[in-house]
Amino acid sequence: MTVQAEAVVDLDAYRSNVADLAAAAPGAAFMAVVKADAYGHGLAPVARAARDAGADWLGVATPDEALALRAAGDVGPVLCWLSAPGRDWAPLVEAGVEVTASSAQQLEEIAGSVRGRARVQLKVDTGLARNGAFGAQWPELLAAAARAQAAGRVEVTGVWSHLACADEPAHPANDAQEQRFAQAVEEVRAAGLDPGLRHLANSAALLTRSSVHLDLVRAGIATYGIAPGPGLDHDVDLRAVMTLRGRLAGVKDVPAGTAVSYGHTWTTERDTRLGLVPLGYAEGILRAASGRAQVAVAGRRVPQVGRICMDQLVVDLGDLPARPGDVVTLFGPGDEGEPAAEDWADAAGTIGYEVVTRLGGRIERSYRGD
Ligand SMILES: *Cc1c(COP(=O)(O)O)cnc(C)c1O
């Protein structure tokens, strides 16, 4: 490692997670979700690795992300699902991207802005109260879709929804959403449309609820080797894809009673050695984890101490004979004794998703297995 701070993305681990997850939903097609720059892992290399590992579909949130996949050379099935009004849909349809309509207005905007026939999937809100047609919006969307399909402007290729509590398998909302979804599929048929691909499962549901695997599963976080939530019981052996590490920019021996970093929120209790790591909240290191996270140096866990700053953070090396330039691993698969991204999430009171998607700033990304 020659740089100050880097995120190493292990594409072998990613491909192996994708293959194992796909095998855990054997009857369903597999969508690798690569939105948000592949959860901070880098869109283009991760997308290629997903296809190599057999992903049938790639999923992204926004139309621009779908176009970025095409610009990166991906030619396979892609679905996007989140757009504010006013979009020109023609470039997406020409690029062979499937798009999602969550309301009659959105469907009409899609149908009206394309020359050929747009391939559209219909999103129903079955109880997340987020994106998707809810209540009376749903029959309106179905009617608009039936009209546009009859006029040759769209082809309905799927119907789908998203779960609110999949990471809590026993939560009653899961059964309720599954039932509401089955009913919504019947309503698609009753509107004279073929539902096409029916899908409902994210990573957590893929791992814990085979009754919602249906025709396709949409897996994001688990493909990156991060648990969708704490304590989920499942058989798939996932390996963390990203390792975040930096090199000690400085080391100093300080006496007991030395207060550390802004606000002097932490004070050494004994003579010790402090290490300075050139990573901070400008890189997306969560400031809320200040004083509660750990890192690994030379195979040993040591605590991060005091407030995490914009560009740097301090670790208490104790009696470790560490020197400037030594590697400090913040999180990764655990091979060098380092914590997991989930441990940083716990320290900051958040979820593993936020730990990896926020990374940026001056971190350089490098790839293994590309
Ligand atoms: C992000 C997202 C997913 C993937 O969720 P994970 O929990 O990361 O597996 C699936 N479907 C939709 C609609 C999403 O927005």
Side-chain angles (χ1 to χ4, degrees):
M1 173 178 183
T2 53
V3 294
Q4 289 205 166
E6 68 175 0
V8 184
V9 175
D10 178 358
L11 294 173
D12 291 324
Y14 177 80
R15 282 186 291 260
S16 135
N17 292 337
V18 166
D20 291 352
L21 288 162
F30 189 86
M31 176 185 287
V33 179
V34 295
K35 64 190 181 188
D37 203 19
Y39 290 46
H41 293 64
L43 180 69
V46 169
R48 274 195 303 275
R51 296 295 190 193
D52 289 347
D56 307 289
W57 284 80
L58 297 180
V60 288
T62 67
D64 288 328
E65 292 178 312
L67 293 175
L69 279 172
R70 290 297 186 243
D74 187 82
V75 296
V78 169
L79 178 69
C80 64
W81 52 72
L82 183 63
S83 174
R87 179 91 209 173
D88 176 10
W89 296 89
L92 289 143
V93 173
E94 279 155 27
V97 170
E98 296 205 10
V99 301
T100 300
S102 283
S103 67
Q105 294 85 323
Q106 194 166 40
L107 189 123
E108 278 154 12
E109 182 180 280
I110 296 165
S113 76
V114 300
R115 251 168 286 129
R117 216 181 232 266
R119 293 170 66 82
V120 180
Q121 302 202 14
L122 307 178
K123 184 160 189 198
V124 56
D125 176 1
T126 54
L128 177 59
R130 207 178 64 174
N131 200 13
F134 181 76
Q137 295 175 328
W138 178 239
E140 281 166 27
L141 172 57
L142 294 180
R147 275 195 308 274
Q149 180 153 301
R153 311 311 306 258
V154 308
E155 180 186 353
V156 173
T157 56
V159 52
W160 65 279
S161 191
H162 196 49
L163 296 169
C165 305
D167 56 340
E168 298 170 59
H171 197 292
N174 293 310
D175 282 337
Q177 286 197 261
E178 186 176 347
Q179 281 162 24
R180 172 69 193 111
F181 186 72
Q183 191 188 356
V185 169
E186 285 318 309
E187 289 158 0
V188 174
R189 293 201 175 97
L193 296 163
D194 179 346
L197 284 177
R198 303 159 303 149
H199 48 110
L200 190 52
N202 57 4
S203 292
L206 189 174
L207 291 168
T208 63
R209 200 175 176 88
S210 58
S211 60
V212 296
H213 290 173
L214 305 175
D215 299 321
L216 176 135
V217 291
R218 306 185 305 268
I221 198 72
T223 64
Y224 304 100
I226 296 173
L232 273 191
D233 191 21
H234 63 82
D235 310 327
V236 183
D237 196 13
L238 299 169
R239 179 173 167 83
V241 171
M242 185 190 287
T243 300
L244 180 66
R245 55 191 197 174
R247 290 166 70 229
L248 286 175
V251 168
K252 63 182 74 168
D253 293 320
V254 298
T258 303
V260 174
S261 192
Y262 287 131
H264 280 179
T265 56
W266 185 83
T267 302
T268 58
E269 281 173 3
R270 50 180 165 69
D271 296 358
T272 191
R273 178 166 296 159
L274 301 177
L276 183 66
V277 181
L279 280 163
Y281 60 78
E283 274 65 49
I285 309 301
L286 299 166
R287 185 174 176 276
S290 290
R292 282 190 282 269
Q294 294 184 322
V295 303
V297 180
R300 252 189 41 206
R301 288 278 182 104
V302 300
Q304 185 279 319
V305 293
R307 285 206 186 128
I308 293 172
C309 310
M310 187 185 295
D311 321 300
Q312 45 197 304
L313 57 84
V314 177
V315 298
D316 180 10
L317 296 163
D319 55 7
L320 267 183
R323 293 196 317 223
D326 285 357
V327 172
V328 178
T329 307
L330 277 71
F331 60 81
D335 297 348
E336 319 276 327
E338 74 275 11
E342 291 94 318
D343 296 320
W344 276 81
D346 287 345
T350 184
I351 52 178
Y353 298 71
E354 193 180 3
V355 172
V356 285
T357 54
R358 285 177 67 106
L359 296 180
R362 292 151 287 196
I363 294 173
E364 294 190 27
R365 242 178 344 225
S366 67
Y367 291 89
R368 275 192 209 141
D370 198 2

PDB file of all heavy atoms in Angstrom, residues 96-119:
ATOM      1  N   GLY A  96     -32.277   0.244 -24.000  1.00  0.00           N
ATOM      2  CA  GLY A  96     -32.767  -1.069 -23.580  1.00  0.00           C
ATOM      3  C   GLY A  96     -32.898  -1.231 -22.079  1.00  0.00           C
ATOM      4  O   GLY A  96     -32.889  -2.349 -21.554  1.00  0.00           O
ATOM      5  N   VAL A  97     -33.028  -0.116 -21.364  1.00  0.00           N
ATOM      6  CA  VAL A  97     -33.200  -0.171 -19.910  1.00  0.00           C
ATOM      7  C   VAL A  97     -34.687  -0.355 -19.606  1.00  0.00           C
ATOM      8  O   VAL A  97     -35.534   0.272 -20.255  1.00  0.00           O
ATOM      9  CB  VAL A  97     -32.685   1.133 -19.267  1.00  0.00           C
ATOM     10  CG1 VAL A  97     -33.070   1.220 -17.802  1.00  0.00           C
ATOM     11  CG2 VAL A  97     -31.181   1.259 -19.461  1.00  0.00           C
ATOM     12  N   GLU A  98     -35.007  -1.209 -18.654  1.00  0.00           N
ATOM     13  CA  GLU A  98     -36.394  -1.299 -18.195  1.00  0.00           C
ATOM     14  C   GLU A  98     -36.597  -0.290 -17.076  1.00  0.00           C
ATOM     15  O   GLU A  98     -35.720  -0.096 -16.237  1.00  0.00           O
ATOM     16  CB  GLU A  98     -36.725  -2.724 -17.731  1.00  0.00           C
ATOM     17  CG  GLU A  98     -36.626  -3.687 -18.896  1.00  0.00           C
ATOM     18  CD  GLU A  98     -37.465  -4.956 -18.754  1.00  0.00           C
ATOM     19  OE1 GLU A  98     -38.302  -5.055 -17.831  1.00  0.00           O
ATOM     20  OE2 GLU A  98     -37.268  -5.841 -19.592  1.00  0.00           O
ATOM     21  N   VAL A  99     -37.744   0.361 -17.124  1.00  0.00           N
ATOM     22  CA  VAL A  99     -38.005   1.427 -16.164  1.00  0.00           C
ATOM     23  C   VAL A  99     -39.221   1.049 -15.320  1.00  0.00           C
ATOM     24  O   VAL A  99     -39.969   0.136 -15.667  1.00  0.00           O
ATOM     25  CB  VAL A  99     -38.218   2.774 -16.881  1.00  0.00           C
ATOM     26  CG1 VAL A  99     -36.985   3.140 -17.712  1.00  0.00           C
ATOM     27  CG2 VAL A  99     -39.456   2.753 -17.755  1.00  0.00           C
ATOM     28  N   THR A 100     -39.360   1.747 -14.208  1.00  0.00           N
ATOM     29  CA  THR A 100     -40.447   1.456 -13.276  1.00  0.00           C
ATOM     30  C   THR A 100     -41.400   2.640 -13.234  1.00  0.00           C
ATOM     31  O   THR A 100     -40.961   3.786 -13.159  1.00  0.00           O
ATOM     32  CB  THR A 100     -39.875   1.217 -11.862  1.00  0.00           C
ATOM     33  OG1 THR A 100     -38.975   0.112 -11.920  1.00  0.00           O
ATOM     34  CG2 THR A 100     -40.984   0.921 -10.865  1.00  0.00           C
ATOM     35  N   ALA A 101     -42.701   2.337 -13.269  1.00  0.00           N
ATOM     36  CA  ALA A 101     -43.713   3.379 -13.074  1.00  0.00           C
ATOM     37  C   ALA A 101     -44.379   3.163 -11.725  1.00  0.00           C
ATOM     38  O   ALA A 101     -44.839   2.065 -11.419  1.00  0.00           O
ATOM     39  CB  ALA A 101     -44.747   3.342 -14.198  1.00  0.00           C
ATOM     40  N   SER A 102     -44.409   4.227 -10.927  1.00  0.00           N
ATOM     41  CA  SER A 102     -45.018   4.170  -9.603  1.00  0.00           C
ATOM     42  C   SER A 102     -46.324   4.944  -9.526  1.00  0.00           C
ATOM     43  O   SER A 102     -46.910   5.036  -8.451  1.00  0.00           O
ATOM     44  CB  SER A 102     -44.047   4.728  -8.554  1.00  0.00           C
ATOM     45  OG  SER A 102     -43.056   3.771  -8.270  1.00  0.00           O
ATOM     46  N   SER A 103     -46.740   5.534 -10.638  1.00  0.00           N
ATOM     47  CA  SER A 103     -48.020   6.251 -10.659  1.00  0.00           C
ATOM     48  C   SER A 103     -48.478   6.348 -12.110  1.00  0.00           C
ATOM     49  O   SER A 103     -47.673   6.175 -13.036  1.00  0.00           O
ATOM     50  CB  SER A 103     -47.862   7.670 -10.094  1.00  0.00           C
ATOM     51  OG  SER A 103     -47.050   8.440 -10.966  1.00  0.00           O
ATOM     52  N   ALA A 104     -49.769   6.643 -12.280  1.00  0.00           N
ATOM     53  CA  ALA A 104     -50.307   6.817 -13.636  1.00  0.00           C
ATOM     54  C   ALA A 104     -49.597   7.966 -14.340  1.00  0.00           C
ATOM     55  O   ALA A 104     -49.262   7.876 -15.523  1.00  0.00           O
ATOM     56  CB  ALA A 104     -51.817   7.074 -13.562  1.00  0.00           C
ATOM     57  N   GLN A 105     -49.325   9.058 -13.608  1.00  0.00           N
ATOM     58  CA  GLN A 105     -48.639  10.198 -14.211  1.00  0.00           C
ATOM     59  C   GLN A 105     -47.269   9.792 -14.728  1.00  0.00           C
ATOM     60  O   GLN A 105     -46.855  10.185 -15.816  1.00  0.00           O
ATOM     61  CB  GLN A 105     -48.466  11.346 -13.185  1.00  0.00           C
ATOM     62  CG  GLN A 105     -49.741  11.994 -12.731  1.00  0.00           C
ATOM     63  CD  GLN A 105     -50.378  11.227 -11.558  1.00  0.00           C
ATOM     64  OE1 GLN A 105     -50.345   9.991 -11.495  1.00  0.00           O
ATOM     65  NE2 GLN A 105     -50.980  11.962 -10.647  1.00  0.00           N
ATOM     66  N   GLN A 106     -46.570   9.016 -13.935  1.00  0.00           N
ATOM     67  CA  GLN A 106     -45.233   8.604 -14.350  1.00  0.00           C
ATOM     68  C   GLN A 106     -45.312   7.683 -15.565  1.00  0.00           C
ATOM     69  O   GLN A 106     -44.535   7.816 -16.512  1.00  0.00           O
ATOM     70  CB  GLN A 106     -44.513   7.900 -13.188  1.00  0.00           C
ATOM     71  CG  GLN A 106     -43.029   7.744 -13.431  1.00  0.00           C
ATOM     72  CD  GLN A 106     -42.278   7.371 -12.165  1.00  0.00           C
ATOM     73  OE1 GLN A 106     -42.758   6.566 -11.365  1.00  0.00           O
ATOM     74  NE2 GLN A 106     -41.113   7.972 -11.974  1.00  0.00           N
ATOM     75  N   LEU A 107     -46.278   6.783 -15.555  1.00  0.00           N
ATOM     76  CA  LEU A 107     -46.423   5.895 -16.704  1.00  0.00           C
ATOM     77  C   LEU A 107     -46.728   6.695 -17.964  1.00  0.00           C
ATOM     78  O   LEU A 107     -46.185   6.437 -19.043  1.00  0.00           O
ATOM     79  CB  LEU A 107     -47.507   4.851 -16.446  1.00  0.00           C
ATOM     80  CG  LEU A 107     -47.489   3.814 -17.563  1.00  0.00           C
ATOM     81  CD1 LEU A 107     -47.296   2.417 -17.019  1.00  0.00           C
ATOM     82  CD2 LEU A 107     -48.689   3.920 -18.460  1.00  0.00           C
ATOM     83  N   GLU A 108     -47.608   7.701 -17.818  1.00  0.00           N
ATOM     84  CA  GLU A 108     -47.954   8.517 -18.988  1.00  0.00           C
ATOM     85  C   GLU A 108     -46.757   9.333 -19.465  1.00  0.00           C
ATOM     86  O   GLU A 108     -46.562   9.525 -20.665  1.00  0.00           O
ATOM     87  CB  GLU A 108     -49.166   9.397 -18.675  1.00  0.00           C
ATOM     88  CG  GLU A 108     -50.454   8.587 -18.846  1.00  0.00           C
ATOM     89  CD  GLU A 108     -51.634   9.076 -18.006  1.00  0.00           C
ATOM     90  OE1 GLU A 108     -51.542  10.194 -17.435  1.00  0.00           O
ATOM     91  OE2 GLU A 108     -52.624   8.323 -17.924  1.00  0.00           O
ATOM     92  N   GLU A 109     -45.943   9.810 -18.522  1.00  0.00           N
ATOM     93  CA  GLU A 109     -44.735  10.541 -18.915  1.00  0.00           C
ATOM     94  C   GLU A 109     -43.797   9.627 -19.717  1.00  0.00           C
ATOM     95  O   GLU A 109     -43.245  10.034 -20.747  1.00  0.00           O
ATOM     96  CB  GLU A 109     -44.017  11.086 -17.677  1.00  0.00           C
ATOM     97  CG  GLU A 109     -42.778  11.886 -18.019  1.00  0.00           C
ATOM     98  CD  GLU A 109     -42.076  12.418 -16.783  1.00  0.00           C
ATOM     99  OE1 GLU A 109     -42.532  13.439 -16.241  1.00  0.00           O
ATOM    100  OE2 GLU A 109     -41.078  11.805 -16.347  1.00  0.00           O
ATOM    101  N   ILE A 110     -43.665   8.396 -19.248  1.00  0.00           N
ATOM    102  CA  ILE A 110     -42.801   7.438 -19.954  1.00  0.00           C
ATOM    103  C   ILE A 110     -43.370   7.171 -21.352  1.00  0.00           C
ATOM    104  O   ILE A 110     -42.667   7.293 -22.373  1.00  0.00           O
ATOM    105  CB  ILE A 110     -42.678   6.116 -19.152  1.00  0.00           C
ATOM    106  CG1 ILE A 110     -41.976   6.365 -17.810  1.00  0.00           C
ATOM    107  CG2 ILE A 110     -41.940   5.052 -19.975  1.00  0.00           C
ATOM    108  CD1 ILE A 110     -42.126   5.231 -16.798  1.00  0.00           C
ATOM    109  N   ALA A 111     -44.659   6.821 -21.392  1.00  0.00           N
ATOM    110  CA  ALA A 111     -45.296   6.472 -22.676  1.00  0.00           C
ATOM    111  C   ALA A 111     -45.221   7.646 -23.649  1.00  0.00           C
ATOM    112  O   ALA A 111     -45.079   7.452 -24.859  1.00  0.00           O
ATOM    113  CB  ALA A 111     -46.743   6.052 -22.444  1.00  0.00           C
ATOM    114  N   GLY A 112     -45.305   8.873 -23.109  1.00  0.00           N
ATOM    115  CA  GLY A 112     -45.345  10.054 -23.961  1.00  0.00           C
ATOM    116  C   GLY A 112     -43.988  10.493 -24.461  1.00  0.00           C
ATOM    117  O   GLY A 112     -43.908  11.264 -25.426  1.00  0.00           O
ATOM    118  N   SER A 113     -42.908  10.057 -23.831  1.00  0.00           N
ATOM    119  CA  SER A 113     -41.602  10.609 -24.224  1.00  0.00           C
ATOM    120  C   SER A 113     -40.779   9.635 -25.044  1.00  0.00           C
ATOM    121  O   SER A 113     -39.634   9.926 -25.371  1.00  0.00           O
ATOM    122  CB  SER A 113     -40.822  11.106 -22.995  1.00  0.00           C
ATOM    123  OG  SER A 113     -40.287  10.027 -22.270  1.00  0.00           O
ATOM    124  N   VAL A 114     -41.351   8.467 -25.373  1.00  0.00           N
ATOM    125  CA  VAL A 114     -40.563   7.509 -26.156  1.00  0.00           C
ATOM    126  C   VAL A 114     -41.187   7.301 -27.524  1.00  0.00           C
ATOM    127  O   VAL A 114     -42.391   7.472 -27.709  1.00  0.00           O
ATOM    128  CB  VAL A 114     -40.452   6.144 -25.420  1.00  0.00           C
ATOM    129  CG1 VAL A 114     -39.790   6.349 -24.086  1.00  0.00           C
ATOM    130  CG2 VAL A 114     -41.788   5.470 -25.269  1.00  0.00           C
ATOM    131  N   ARG A 115     -40.351   6.949 -28.479  1.00  0.00           N
ATOM    132  CA  ARG A 115     -40.867   6.664 -29.813  1.00  0.00           C
ATOM    133  C   ARG A 115     -41.297   5.200 -29.946  1.00  0.00           C
ATOM    134  O   ARG A 115     -42.359   4.914 -30.411  1.00  0.00           O
ATOM    135  CB  ARG A 115     -39.831   7.039 -30.881  1.00  0.00           C
ATOM    136  CG  ARG A 115     -40.273   8.282 -31.656  1.00  0.00           C
ATOM    137  CD  ARG A 115     -39.148   8.847 -32.496  1.00  0.00           C
ATOM    138  NE  ARG A 115     -38.171   9.523 -31.662  1.00  0.00           N
ATOM    139  CZ  ARG A 115     -36.854   9.314 -31.696  1.00  0.00           C
ATOM    140  NH1 ARG A 115     -36.350   8.453 -32.528  1.00  0.00           N
ATOM    141  NH2 ARG A 115     -36.054   9.989 -30.915  1.00  0.00           N
ATOM    142  N   GLY A 116     -40.428   4.301 -29.473  1.00  0.00           N
ATOM    143  CA  GLY A 116     -40.774   2.877 -29.564  1.00  0.00           C
ATOM    144  C   GLY A 116     -41.696   2.476 -28.431  1.00  0.00           C
ATOM    145  O   GLY A 116     -42.542   3.247 -27.984  1.00  0.00           O
ATOM    146  N   ARG A 117     -41.513   1.268 -27.970  1.00  0.00           N
ATOM    147  CA  ARG A 117     -42.334   0.714 -26.905  1.00  0.00           C
ATOM    148  C   ARG A 117     -41.456   0.601 -25.660  1.00  0.00           C
ATOM    149  O   ARG A 117     -40.454  -0.117 -25.677  1.00  0.00           O
ATOM    150  CB  ARG A 117     -42.715  -0.694 -27.351  1.00  0.00           C
ATOM    151  CG  ARG A 117     -44.074  -1.167 -26.981  1.00  0.00           C
ATOM    152  CD  ARG A 117     -44.178  -2.597 -27.524  1.00  0.00           C
ATOM    153  NE  ARG A 117     -45.362  -2.773 -28.332  1.00  0.00           N
ATOM    154  CZ  ARG A 117     -46.501  -3.248 -27.832  1.00  0.00           C
ATOM    155  NH1 ARG A 117     -46.603  -3.589 -26.568  1.00  0.00           N
ATOM    156  NH2 ARG A 117     -47.537  -3.388 -28.614  1.00  0.00           N
ATOM    157  N   ALA A 118     -41.807   1.304 -24.608  1.00  0.00           N
ATOM    158  CA  ALA A 118     -41.005   1.239 -23.381  1.00  0.00           C
ATOM    159  C   ALA A 118     -41.333  -0.029 -22.611  1.00  0.00           C
ATOM    160  O   ALA A 118     -42.504  -0.388 -22.479  1.00  0.00           O
ATOM    161  CB  ALA A 118     -41.296   2.459 -22.516  1.00  0.00           C
ATOM    162  N   ARG A 119     -40.303  -0.692 -22.122  1.00  0.00           N
ATOM    163  CA  ARG A 119     -40.524  -1.849 -21.243  1.00  0.00           C
ATOM    164  C   ARG A 119     -40.622  -1.327 -19.816  1.00  0.00           C
ATOM    165  O   ARG A 119     -39.655  -0.782 -19.280  1.00  0.00           O
ATOM    166  CB  ARG A 119     -39.380  -2.859 -21.405  1.00  0.00           C
ATOM    167  CG  ARG A 119     -39.384  -3.507 -22.797  1.00  0.00           C
ATOM    168  CD  ARG A 119     -38.133  -4.314 -23.049  1.00  0.00           C
ATOM    169  NE  ARG A 119     -38.020  -5.497 -22.187  1.00  0.00           N
ATOM    170  CZ  ARG A 119     -38.634  -6.656 -22.434  1.00  0.00           C
ATOM    171  NH1 ARG A 119     -39.397  -6.815 -23.496  1.00  0.00           N
ATOM    172  NH2 ARG A 119     -38.472  -7.669 -21.607  1.00  0.00           N
TER     173      ARG A 119
END
